[in-house]
Amino acid sequence: MLVNLIRTSAFTALVTLAGLVQADVITSVTFEDGAGVGYTTSDGEFNDGGADYFTRTDSAGVPGNYLGSQGSFFFAAQDIDAEGGPIEQSVLITGIDITDFTDLTLDLLVAEDDATNGDEDWDRTDFFDVFASIDGGAQQLIFSIRSDESSGTFNGSARVDTNFDGLGDGTEIVETFANFQSVIAGTGTTLDLEFQFRLDSGDEDLAIDNIVVQGVNAAIPEPGSVAVLSLISLALIGKRRRI
C-alpha cells in the first residue's frame, strides 16, 4: 500500500510540475534609464515639438495622449518622415543572450492616441511590425498592427493583424497601454529584435513600452523536478524491497 501511495504521489507531482514550469525574464527594456539604454534606433531619435516625433518620451513635448505606461517613459512615434527621415524607422534590441533558453516569448505594451479629428487615421500602408532573428538567421514576423480599413485606403483603426495578411482584424489599439504576448520560434545563442514603424502622416502614431523577453532555462532544473525525482526513487526502492 505504501509503495502504491508513493507511486501515486510521484505521478501527481509530475502532473503538477507540468503546469508549474515558470519562465525567466531574459531581458527587458522599459525606456526609464535614458535614451539608447538597452536599445538603438535605425536613424536616430527626433522630436520637432509639434506633431512629428520618433523618440523616448515621458509625454512632455508630444501631443499624443498615452495612458498607463510602465513608469514615466516610453517610446512614441508619429509622422516619422516629416523631418526628412525615412518613411520606415526601427527600434532595435540586439545581442540578447538566449543560450539554453527554450519556449521564448515577447511581451510588449502598446498604445495609440485617438485622432484629433475624432476619426481613426491609419491608412492601409501604415504598419507596426515586430521581427525576431536568432543567430543571425532569417527574420520571423511575430507581431503586427495594421489598419482595419478593408473597403478603401485611408483612415482606419489600428488593430492587431492576427494572421499577418496586412489587414488589422484583432484587438483595437487604444490610448491606454495594453500588453500583447508573442511566441518566438526556435532556440539558439543570440536573439535580435526589430520594432519597425511606418507612420507617415499626422494622427498616425503608436507608442510602445515595457519590452520583456522570457524563456525557460533548460540548463537549470526546476525546483519541483528534484522533489519528483526523489519520489520516483523512493517508489523504485519500495518496489525492490517488496520483491
Side-chain angles (χ1 to χ4, degrees), residues 57-80:
T57 180
D58 60 356
S59 291
V62 299
N65 186 34
Y66 308 107
L67 307 175
S69 62
Q70 180 72 34
S72 299
F73 287 86
F74 51 91
F75 198 96
Q78 178 173 273
D79 199 4
I80 61 177

Side-chain angles (χ1 to χ4, degrees), residues 5-157:
L5 178 60
I6 293 174
R7 288 175 181 169
T8 301
S9 298
F11 177 77
T12 302
L14 280 171
V15 173
T16 302
L17 178 63
L20 293 178
V21 175
Q22 297 294 316
D24 297 321
V25 173
I26 301 172
T27 193
S28 63
V29 174
T30 63
F31 301 105
E32 296 298 313
D33 297 325
V37 178
Y39 73 96
T40 58
T41 56
S42 57
D43 296 272
E45 300 184 30
F46 73 88
N47 183 0
D48 69 355
D52 310 324
Y53 48 88
F54 185 76
T55 187
R56 169 185 176 267
T57 180
D58 60 356
S59 291
V62 299
N65 186 34
Y66 308 107
L67 307 175
S69 62
Q70 180 72 34
S72 299
F73 287 86
F74 51 91
F75 198 96
Q78 178 173 273
D79 199 4
I80 61 177
D81 66 337
E83 298 301 307
I87 197 170
E88 296 178 13
Q89 299 186 43
S90 298
V91 171
L92 306 164
I93 303 175
T94 59
I96 303 168
D97 186 359
I98 57 170
T99 304
D100 295 324
F101 283 97
T102 64
D103 303 292
L104 301 173
T105 59
L106 171 72
D107 281 88
L108 173 68
L109 291 179
V110 183
E112 192 264 347
D113 182 38
D114 291 335
T116 55
N117 59 7
D119 297 323
E120 299 302 336
D121 283 351
W122 273 48
D123 302 333
R124 286 295 302 273
T125 55
D126 300 323
F127 63 78
F128 170 74
D129 288 339
V130 182
F131 294 93
S133 173
I134 294 177
D135 293 340
Q139 286 189 320
Q140 54 174 299
L141 179 61
I142 62 172
F143 182 70
S144 181
I145 297 173
R146 303 278 173 148
S147 170
D148 67 355
E149 180 55 57
S150 59
S151 60
T153 304
F154 303 104
N155 299 341
S157 298

